[in-house]
Amino acid sequence: MAEPVALLSSIKEVLRMATEILTVQNFLHGQFVTPNNAEYLPVMNPGIGKQIARVPLSTAAQVDAAVVSARAALPAWSGLPIKERAQILFRYRALLEKNAQSLAQLVHEENGKTVGEAMAEVDKSIEVTEFACSMPQLATGEILEVSRGVECRIDRYPVGVVASITPFNFPNMVPNWTIPNSLVLGNTVILKPSEQVPLSSLRIAELLKEAGLPDGAFNIVHGAQTAVESLCDHPGIDALTFVGSTRVARIVYVRATAHLKRALCLGGAKNHLIVLPDAHQEMTASNVAASMTGCAGQRCMAASAMVAVGRVDPIIEKLCEEARKIVPGKNLGAVISRQAKERIERYITEAEQQGARVLVDGRNCVVAGKEAGFYVGPTVIDYVRPEMRIAQEEVFGPVLAILRVDTVDEALKIENSSPYGNAASVFTQSGGMARYVIERASAGMIGVNIGVPVPREPFSFGGWNESKFGSGDITGKSSIEFLTRLKKTTIKWNPESRANWMS
Ligand code: NAD
């Protein structure tokens, strides 16, 4: 009798798992499909430290199936007038808005950020989709009569099949950096979401389908390194955008361009906030605290190093007060994994051992009722020296390293010596000093009295140096050049014209 009972309990267990652990599927030609023989990775809810799904690791053959689908859909989709394609994006935008609450909830569950932060992420997806809807006005051609009866014209054509590879920190927004603009410009798309946060992409697929996007114009292959390498190598893909760490951005850029694709690969960051003594104290303290802790510091635009110029101690005191008001599990979300929590805490401990002073300590943080969640509290570390690892590397947690210098030129020297170049900010009430820093900071996005200087649409998003490989930016007007090819046509209708060359 003992054996059947054991068997029964294991079946019950399987059924319980089946109802609670979702199996993520690829999205091919308008259908969700389970890849054959796939290996799976667990997908966690970092806020409670519990598995919520499993994601397949797609193979080269499964990537190939997505490419077949995207290429099959390309002629009909790219053949539609741009205004018709824009109509579908208008409907997609309306669906994002209608479903914003549930989309934000999903981001919260798979990524760990707060529902408010997730809502802001969905709002940004709506904004980039609005920009895509304006493409018929922006991505127009040009025409000029270059000599009597002869005209030259330029028309934009889609680049073809675009692959998009995305990171864990914005499961809804970063895929939407590439999807709406690519589609409206006539490309078809294959998304490879982060294996840590694959769920939001499923809702993106559903909403695009509901908006009327033809089957095959948008596909998803889940997975990790093998899937990405197959996308880089596949001859059926014309262009590839990547957003993630600098280490992987470099690998992907080299591999994709070696296979003669257009590639734009955005990497990691180490953003410096330069605080001058004349800065507005409250505004600076609250901006710096929000920048270092928003999305638990897991933003490529997060304040990571504050360079304090001269006597700014009152600002540092206020900043610490602000940081102490931020409560993990309430207005501070979880970090993505246990490994991330341990890595962040190692950075703090190492800096402390090397002589830095921890003013606000977020280590060993446990949230009541969510004891298994991966939380790090706000952490402010003073007297960090430029040669320390915490001053040089991307920590990607709610941690601010303060470096003290005497002059703005010393501050700029520290900022300029970073291999990254995503964002930099200056806090001052002097227009002249702000201008001085704007001109000399080595970063693609600069803030003046702003902790997170993300350009709003139609301004484009992208860093410099090792924060981005490839030319142009990923969003805004700059994306038009990346996502289209120019066809130049010269036309002569007047047979009486005798000039036949350079006419
Ligand atoms: P990651 O580089 O680990 O992963 C990004 C993507 O690359 C994922 O889809 C992953 O599956 C894939 N990948 C991972 N290892 C790979 C490998 N060896 N070969 C091929 N593909 C591989 O990044 P992450 O941890 O998901 O995201 C955090 C990083 O992203 C941070 O460094 C952050 O600064 C950066 N980021 C940058 C921007 C930006 O605009 N510059 C925006 C968001 C995030």
Side-chain angles (χ1 to χ4, degrees):
M1 284 299 290
E3 220 177 295
V5 173
L7 187 64
L8 187 65
S9 81
S10 76
I11 288 170
K12 269 190 183 158
E13 185 61 15
V14 168
L15 288 175
R16 191 184 65 77
M17 295 280 285
T19 52
E20 290 179 10
I21 308 272
L22 177 85
T23 295
V24 175
Q25 293 174 301
N26 286 344
F27 186 71
L28 297 181
H29 223 72
Q31 304 295 326
F32 287 105
V33 289
T34 304
N36 296 332
N37 310 320
E39 288 177 50
Y40 289 86
L41 286 180
V43 179
M44 304 292 287
N45 176 332
I48 54 173
K50 187 167 175 271
Q51 186 181 352
I52 49 173
R54 54 181 203 143
V55 63
L57 295 176
S58 297
T59 60
Q62 284 136 11
V63 167
D64 186 57
V67 177
V68 168
S69 165
R71 288 227 81 85
L74 188 60
W77 178 245
S78 62
L80 288 177
I82 188 168
K83 275 171 164 292
E84 282 184 38
R85 292 193 299 258
Q87 288 307 313
I88 290 173
L89 272 301
F90 272 110
R91 288 200 288 275
Y92 175 60
R93 185 226 171 272
L95 289 168
L96 286 174
E97 193 169 47
K98 186 175 155 203
N99 292 281
Q101 200 68 49
S102 65
L103 294 171
Q105 184 63 30
L106 191 54
V107 169
H108 164 68
E109 281 170 23
E110 65 176 340
N111 169 277
K113 66 178 69 175
T114 68
V115 175
E117 289 166 345
M119 201 65 188
E121 168 171 354
V122 176
D123 282 344
K124 187 67 192 174
S125 296
I126 293 170
E127 188 181 344
V128 293
T129 307
E130 277 167 10
F131 176 74
C133 293
S134 72
M135 282 294 189
Q137 282 69 48
L138 294 173
T140 55
E142 293 172 27
I143 187 163
L144 181 72
E145 186 183 52
V146 288
S147 60
R148 177 67 65 207
V150 177
E151 68 189 35
C152 280
R153 57 180 289 159
I154 289 179
D155 293 285
R156 290 190 181 275
Y157 283 73
V159 70
V161 175
V162 177
S164 164
I165 298 153
T166 55
F168 78 79
N169 62 335
F170 286 93
N172 191 297
M173 180 189 79
V174 173
N176 277 308
W177 278 356
T178 294
I179 297 165
N181 287 347
S182 300
L183 289 175
V184 78
L185 292 169
N187 303 284
T188 56
V189 176
I190 300 171
L191 174 67
K192 205 302 284 172
S194 164
E195 65 277 26
Q196 297 186 90
V197 292
L199 302 177
S200 291
S201 67
L202 307 179
R203 292 291 290 133
I204 290 172
E206 284 176 345
L207 296 184
L208 284 168
K209 193 172 165 96
E210 193 179 337
L213 189 73
D215 292 347
F218 176 69
N219 305 274
I220 303 173
V221 275
H222 292 284
Q225 185 170 348
T226 302
V228 174
E229 289 174 354
S230 306
L231 289 166
C232 292
D233 298 352
H234 202 296
I237 290 173
D238 302 289
L240 180 150
T241 65
F242 171 93
V243 182
S245 62
T246 290
R247 184 184 69 81
V248 183
R250 184 185 276 115
I251 294 169
V252 169
Y253 184 77
V254 169
R255 191 156 178 155
T257 53
H259 285 85
L260 307 178
K261 298 181 195 336
R262 281 189 192 183
L264 184 58
C265 298
L266 276 60
K270 185 81 191 172
N271 305 315
H272 294 80
L273 306 188
I274 298 176
V275 177
L276 303 183
D278 74 333
H280 187 282
Q281 294 187 1
E282 279 76 23
M283 183 170 75
T284 304
S286 71
N287 262 275
V288 176
S291 178
M292 65 170 271
T293 56
C295 299
Q298 298 175 121
R299 288 191 285 201
C300 64
M301 298 294 282
S304 182
M306 169 173 148
V307 192
V309 181
R311 302 194 70 77
V312 297
D313 294 75
I315 294 176
I316 293 174
E317 277 162 33
K318 284 192 170 55
L319 160 66
C320 290
E321 277 168 37
E322 292 285 335
R324 287 190 193 99
K325 285 188 222 157
I326 295 167
V327 183
K330 195 172 159 212
N331 50 4
L332 178 68
V335 297
I336 190 67
S337 62
R338 182 174 310 286
Q339 296 91 309
K341 176 179 160 75
E342 288 167 3
R343 191 199 67 239
I344 295 162
E345 294 190 345
R346 270 199 305 277
Y347 273 110
I348 304 167
T349 302
E350 185 183 295
E352 188 178 43
Q353 286 166 350
Q354 292 171 344
R357 203 179 299 165
V358 181
L359 304 180
V360 182
D361 192 347
R363 285 171 289 185
N364 307 314
C365 172
V366 177
V367 171
K370 297 176 180 174
E371 285 76 6
F374 314 131
Y375 293 90
V376 180
T379 302
V380 180
I381 313 175
D382 203 354
Y383 297 102
V384 169
R385 293 188 308 278
E387 68 277 11
M388 292 181 183
R389 234 160 45 94
I390 200 168
Q392 296 181 359
E393 297 178 10
E394 182 175 40
V395 176
F396 228 50
V399 178
L400 184 75
I402 301 177
L403 294 93
R404 303 233 180 195
V405 296
D406 294 325
T407 66
V408 71
D409 286 322
E410 285 175 74
L412 281 163
K413 194 171 164 204
I414 289 173
E415 193 280 334
N416 286 181
S417 66
S418 170
Y420 297 106
N422 216 38
S425 289
V426 56
F427 288 83
T428 177
Q429 298 191 64
S430 155
M433 287 313 291
R435 181 97 222 143
Y436 191 83
V437 173
I438 293 168
E439 285 177 0
R440 289 164 181 77
S442 183
M445 292 171 280
I446 309 287
V448 176
N449 299 322
I450 300 251
V452 185
V454 175
R456 301 286 301 267
E457 308 303 308
F459 298 95
S460 59
F461 187 99
W464 283 8
N465 309 330
E466 295 192 6
S467 291
K468 192 190 70 188
F469 304 109
S471 69
D473 287 332
I474 197 163
T475 62
K477 286 186 190 167
S478 185
S479 69
I480 299 171
E481 296 309 322
F482 184 76
L483 296 168
T484 58
R485 297 179 287 175
L486 300 181
K487 186 173 278 185
K488 288 73 62 180
T489 308
T490 307
I491 306 167
K492 181 162 76 175
W493 295 115
N494 50 341
E496 67 281 9
S497 167
R498 298 209 157 261
N500 281 325
W501 170 241
M502 299 290 279
S503 44

